[in-house]
Amino acid sequence: MKDKIIISFIMSMVLAFTVITTPAVSAKEAAKAYYVQVEGTVNMQYAYKVLELINKYREDHGCDAIIMNEFLLDSAVQRAAELSVSFDHTRPDGSSCFTSCDLMYAENIAAGQLTPKEVVKAWKKSKPHRANILKKGYQSCGIGCFKNNGVYYWVQDFGISNADEFIDEENRTQRFSIKVKNKLKYKLSVGKKLTMKEGATKKINIFRVSSDNAYFNSKLLSASGKWKSSNKKVATINRYGKLTAKKKGTATITCTMGGVEKSFKVTVKKADQKK
């Protein structure tokens, strides 16, 4: 079995350290899992800038440069997207971060920093993160930078492989389907009541509610939930959260995600009716 090295994390300007000992997810537990979808910007240019900065730091401390490995890069991008759902070294499905790639020996994570310079500076100030960056045995890494709802999530996955260097510096919008074990706290983009006129439409969004800081509330795609209208003659809602007002009356719209229900009442008025 691989000798798994220190794993550590940093959130905004608050530092913390943890060692992962989470067991594998059992078949019974896996059966309770569900999937949520997130979409955001994968900033490859920022990822390679982070690599440049940490290699300069390694050089200053007598360490050889490390290269971007394709498999570790894929892992880091996936993990960065997962951080927007659950900021932890334990993955949203309950498994260890190491299950994302067999080549991974250590992981640094962060959230909230706006630039590569900021996140590298924060990691350098933290002893366990700095130890990972300056580990002489590491020869490769994967770096993920994922932006969701205005927040950047950062990941460094380190490895000992010296495989060929991989280069992909093109930013892209990417969608991820993420397996989740536990119930997520979330809210809808509307309050308890909504008034609409016949024929009007409105997109209802889902936001994961962070227990750490409201700033880190990430946006989930509306298809992550199951939607239902109590009166389809009055209002309908499709799987993508598009609400359509049909005719005068009231209806209750319910979203169910991971066994948690959220609902609101919609009142539809005639198109020429004043409030």
Side-chain angles (χ1 to χ4, degrees):
M1 181 180 291
K2 292 180 180 178
D3 181 17
K4 298 300 185 185
I5 313 299
I6 294 172
I7 28 182
S8 48
F9 69 79
I10 174 173
M11 185 173 217
S12 190
M13 298 307 293
V14 179
L15 309 184
F17 169 72
T18 185
V19 176
I20 298 300
T21 56
T22 304
V25 179
S26 69
K28 183 178 180 180
E29 290 172 324
K32 299 178 181 178
Y34 59 101
Y35 287 85
V36 300
Q37 298 177 41
V38 296
E39 184 175 273
T41 300
V42 176
N43 197 319
M44 299 300 296
Q45 293 180 4
Y46 273 10
Y48 278 88
K49 183 62 178 179
V50 168
L51 178 61
E52 177 187 327
L53 292 171
I54 64 174
N55 272 334
K56 177 64 169 61
Y57 190 58
R58 285 174 64 87
E59 180 184 354
D60 293 342
H61 289 77
C63 303
D64 293 335
I66 58 179
I67 63 171
M68 192 80 85
N69 174 276
E70 180 178 5
F71 301 105
L72 286 170
L73 174 59
D74 288 344
S75 167
V77 170
Q78 175 70 29
R79 289 285 298 124
E82 290 177 355
L83 294 186
S84 70
V85 175
S86 177
F87 188 83
D88 202 297
H89 288 295
T90 299
R91 303 179 71 183
D93 68 0
S95 64
S96 163
C97 61
F98 294 115
T99 63
S100 65
C101 182
D102 290 340
L103 300 178
M104 192 203 308
Y105 275 73
E107 177 177 84
N108 287 343
I109 64 176
Q113 295 78 10
L114 298 176
T115 66
K117 185 176 181 180
E118 284 185 18
V119 72
V120 171
K121 181 179 179 180
W123 276 328
K124 284 160 59 176
K125 286 184 176 180
S126 167
K127 185 176 180 179
H129 298 84
R130 185 170 64 249
N132 281 340
I133 292 173
L134 296 178
K135 180 78 174 179
K136 290 190 175 181
Y138 296 149
Q139 300 184 56
S140 57
C141 72
I143 299 171
C145 175
F146 178 70
K147 186 179 183 182
N148 178 294
N149 198 33
V151 178
Y152 285 100
Y153 298 88
W154 309 83
V155 173
Q156 288 180 312
D157 288 340
F158 296 92
I160 61 174
S161 170
N162 60 353
D164 293 338
E165 183 177 14
F166 182 76
I167 299 177
D168 176 9
E169 298 186 57
E170 184 175 350
N171 295 347
R172 59 183 181 269
T173 298
Q174 190 167 340
R175 182 174 297 183
F176 298 84
S177 183
I178 297 174
K179 189 176 182 180
V180 179
K181 174 187 174 184
N182 296 319
K183 294 179 179 179
L184 293 179
K185 292 182 178 179
Y186 72 96
K187 64 180 181 180
L188 304 180
S189 57
V190 292
K192 293 294 184 181
K193 297 180 180 180
L194 178 65
T195 300
M196 301 174 67
K197 291 187 176 182
E198 291 177 337
T201 62
K202 185 176 181 63
K203 177 68 181 300
I204 311 300
N205 295 310
I206 302 174
F207 293 93
R208 180 193 68 89
V209 177
S210 171
S211 58
D212 301 295
N213 189 323
Y215 174 66
F216 296 99
N217 289 349
S218 55
K219 184 177 179 180
L220 307 181
L221 294 184
S222 298
S224 300
K226 294 183 179 179
W227 299 89
K228 182 176 65 174
S229 171
S230 66
N231 191 337
K232 294 181 180 180
K233 292 182 179 180
V234 172
T236 61
I237 188 163
N238 67 15
R239 60 173 299 193
Y240 304 108
K242 181 181 178 181
L243 178 64
T244 302
K246 294 291 189 177
K247 60 178 292 186
K248 182 180 178 181
T250 60
T252 298
I253 305 299
T254 303
C255 174
T256 304
M257 189 177 74
V260 178
E261 288 189 355
K262 298 288 181 179
S263 62
F264 62 93
K265 181 179 178 181
V266 59
T267 298
V268 177
K269 297 186 177 182
K270 289 188 175 295
D272 58 354
Q273 185 177 346
K274 296 181 179 181
K275 291 184 178 181

